[in-house]
Amino acid sequence: MTKRAAHAGLLLAFISIAAVPVRAADWPQFRGPARDGISRETGLLKQWPAGGPKVLWSIPVGQGYAGAAIVAGRVYHHDYDEAKGEWGIFCRNLTTGKELWRFTEAKKIRPNHAITRTVPAVDGRFVISLDPKCGVHGLDAKTGKQVWSKDLVATYKTKIPPWYNGQNPLLEPDRIVIATGGDAILVALDKATGKEIWRTPNTLNVIMSHASVMPATLGGVKQYLYSTLDGIYGIAAKDGKLLWSYARKFNVAAVPSPLAVDGERVFVTGPYDAGSIMLRVRASGGVFKAEPDFDMKNAEWNSEVHTPILFQNHMFAVGKKKRGLFTCLDLQGKTVWDSDGKASYELGNFILADGAFFVLDGRTGMLRMLEANITGYKELASTQVLSGNDVWGPMALSDGKLVLRDLSKMVAMDVRGK
């Protein structure tokens, strides 16, 4: 090959690479792409201007806590129109907030600690939604046309939880995974058709909780984790086989989801003074067994609504014993530092991005940016972006745009650095 030909080849390769569109990190489901509450975005603002980051758009929404998924510059979220008695899935432009399509369905739902709670799962082709009364909807992501639907109550004898469904479907490459209760503990459904791939027989009489299914690899085996008022379960991703269970009582409602800490440990916490437990799950001869590493039964610390984020071998969450403190815990459950005397966040949500935690005050709607570290509480910036009360909905971040909501309003802010 001549030098000229080699140069031409390199130039062609460079042009080909440059022509591939660069897409910002999507936020395709509850807790983001890896279901861990961590954004892969970089280049975000390290300081905020007076008045806070620019608000790109603000829209009214029906009362609830339903956060957004963001894929390819589109925002997908749930809503409910009380006047019309219509539940819906909405698609909007991320930059402008303009509505691109909506799917609605007549559904009578009375307010019970608000109405909407969950985040759709979106892969660019399909939108998978689990509604307040346990209907599953598969929509075309571009048009909003319903492709398939499944009523969990009719199909699996699911019992709708108190305060309606709070579970967010788990998005996988070829499927979604949902906990049903009734005839199954978990089911895996084909995303394109809703056809059942497998189910986990419910020999333990597990009832659907508000927690969401979480992925994990324990003992080298991929599995799905699920927690209820009565215990924690590990189910094989391959075929839905129940691999292990651990009986542990929580109080009133199981809301935060299980957190896989590493290849052996699973941390589970719950509201109403239920405390927290760290399980160690080991396999011997292909048989799994779960045992407590520690159990904070006396509410030494617990998170009431949100699942902790794992960062630098520590866990971060808004929790208590004193309510509302943003806390850094080590993997033995000991508090390393918290926000006591500096800020209280009630039941607010939080995500991690580009070396900082974005944390919402669930009572007032104040948004704070904190340095992500394991040495101490350090606030970098704050802004009053939402109003109270009950600002509990999960946030989403994509293309430098942070989407967040309170009980009646959803906003998008530009948090990119210049």
Side-chain angles (χ1 to χ4, degrees):
M1 179 182 290
T2 66
K3 288 185 178 181
R4 178 175 293 181
H7 176 74
L10 287 172
L11 181 61
L12 180 61
F14 174 78
I15 292 171
S16 299
I17 293 169
V20 176
V22 178
R23 196 166 87 187
D26 289 331
W27 193 271
Q29 61 180 324
F30 172 64
R31 286 176 60 83
R35 204 87 159 176
D36 56 7
I38 302 174
S39 168
R40 275 59 187 173
E41 296 269 310
T42 57
L44 304 183
L45 289 169
K46 298 304 181 184
Q47 294 180 328
W48 292 347
K54 180 181 178 181
V55 174
L56 298 171
W57 49 265
S58 175
I59 59 166
V61 287
Q63 61 168 307
Y65 316 112
I70 308 172
V71 173
R74 290 183 164 200
V75 178
Y76 301 85
H77 69 92
H78 296 140
D79 206 354
Y80 187 74
D81 188 322
E82 290 185 67
K84 294 181 179 179
E86 285 184 348
W87 168 87
I89 307 167
F90 290 73
C91 175
R92 301 181 183 277
N93 180 280
L94 174 59
T95 302
T96 66
K98 179 183 177 181
E99 183 181 316
L100 303 176
W101 58 252
R102 69 171 66 183
F103 169 85
T104 60
E105 184 175 79
K107 196 177 288 285
K108 290 294 183 182
I109 308 173
R110 65 179 178 84
N112 186 358
H113 266 294
I115 296 176
T116 60
R117 281 166 172 70
T118 59
V119 179
V122 186
D123 69 354
R125 290 182 61 211
F126 301 106
V127 179
I128 311 298
S129 165
L130 184 52
D131 74 35
K133 291 192 171 181
C134 296
V136 189
H137 308 264
L139 308 183
D140 183 288
K142 288 184 170 57
T143 66
K145 180 182 178 181
Q146 182 161 268
V147 180
W148 61 268
S149 66
K150 191 180 291 283
D151 184 340
L152 298 185
V153 176
T155 307
Y156 297 103
K157 300 183 178 65
T158 296
K159 182 179 179 181
I160 300 172
W163 307 297
Y164 306 119
N165 167 62
Q167 181 189 167
N168 304 274
L170 170 61
L171 181 69
E172 294 277 59
D174 64 337
R175 67 187 68 174
I176 59 160
V177 183
I178 296 172
T180 64
D183 289 344
I185 301 177
L186 300 191
V187 297
L189 305 177
D190 180 83
K191 288 189 299 187
T193 64
K195 182 179 179 181
E196 182 180 300
I197 299 171
W198 52 249
R199 72 170 67 183
T200 308
N202 195 3
T203 57
L204 300 177
N205 297 316
V206 173
I207 297 173
M208 179 193 277
S209 71
H210 295 286
S212 297
V213 179
M214 298 289 277
T217 300
L218 304 176
V221 176
K222 183 178 179 182
Q223 50 196 272
Y224 302 124
L225 308 178
Y226 183 55
S227 59
T228 71
L229 281 173
D230 297 316
I232 303 111
Y233 310 89
I235 290 164
K238 179 181 179 181
D239 55 12
K241 178 184 177 182
L242 178 64
L243 298 175
W244 59 270
S245 64
Y246 184 83
R248 180 18 166 106
K249 290 289 184 182
F250 291 90
N251 299 329
V252 184
V255 183
S257 301
L259 176 68
V261 170
D262 53 31
E264 278 194 350
R265 288 177 290 181
V266 176
F267 184 76
V268 185
T269 185
Y272 299 101
D273 299 319
S276 305
I277 185 170
M278 180 76 83
L279 295 177
R280 196 170 288 272
V281 182
R282 295 187 176 99
S284 177
V287 177
F288 282 84
K289 184 178 182 180
E291 296 178 320
D293 214 24
F294 60 82
D295 193 341
M296 297 188 280
K297 293 181 180 178
N298 297 320
E300 297 156 55
W301 187 88
N302 66 293
S303 176
E304 298 180 72
V305 176
H306 303 292
T307 306
I309 289 175
L310 184 67
F311 173 68
Q312 292 186 352
N313 290 318
H314 287 69
M315 297 178 291
F316 295 79
V318 172
K320 55 181 192 180
K321 206 163 187 178
K322 182 178 178 181
R323 191 182 206 188
L325 300 184
F326 191 72
T327 308
C328 170
L329 300 168
D330 67 20
L331 297 185
Q332 287 70 51
K334 304 299 182 185
T335 297
V336 177
W337 58 257
D338 60 38
S339 63
D340 196 13
K342 302 175 183 69
S344 180
Y345 295 92
E346 203 241 4
L347 302 180
N349 179 239
F350 45 91
I351 65 173
L352 174 62
D354 199 16
F357 286 100
F358 294 81
V359 192
L360 267 174
D361 185 326
R363 182 177 56 84
T364 68
M366 175 75 75
L367 177 68
R368 292 183 172 90
M369 181 169 60
L370 313 178
E371 183 179 272
N373 69 68
I374 59 174
T375 58
Y377 180 91
K378 183 178 180 181
E379 184 175 313
L380 302 175
S382 65
T383 185
Q384 188 70 54
V385 64
L386 295 169
S387 304
N389 289 325
D390 298 351
V391 189
W392 302 343
M395 291 178 273
L397 177 64
S398 178
D399 195 25
K401 300 171 182 68
L402 184 68
V403 178
L404 56 167
R405 65 163 296 163
D406 58 22
L407 271 179
S408 60
K409 181 173 64 177
M410 178 176 283
V411 303
M413 305 172 65
D414 189 348
V415 295
R416 282 180 300 190
K418 301 301 181 184

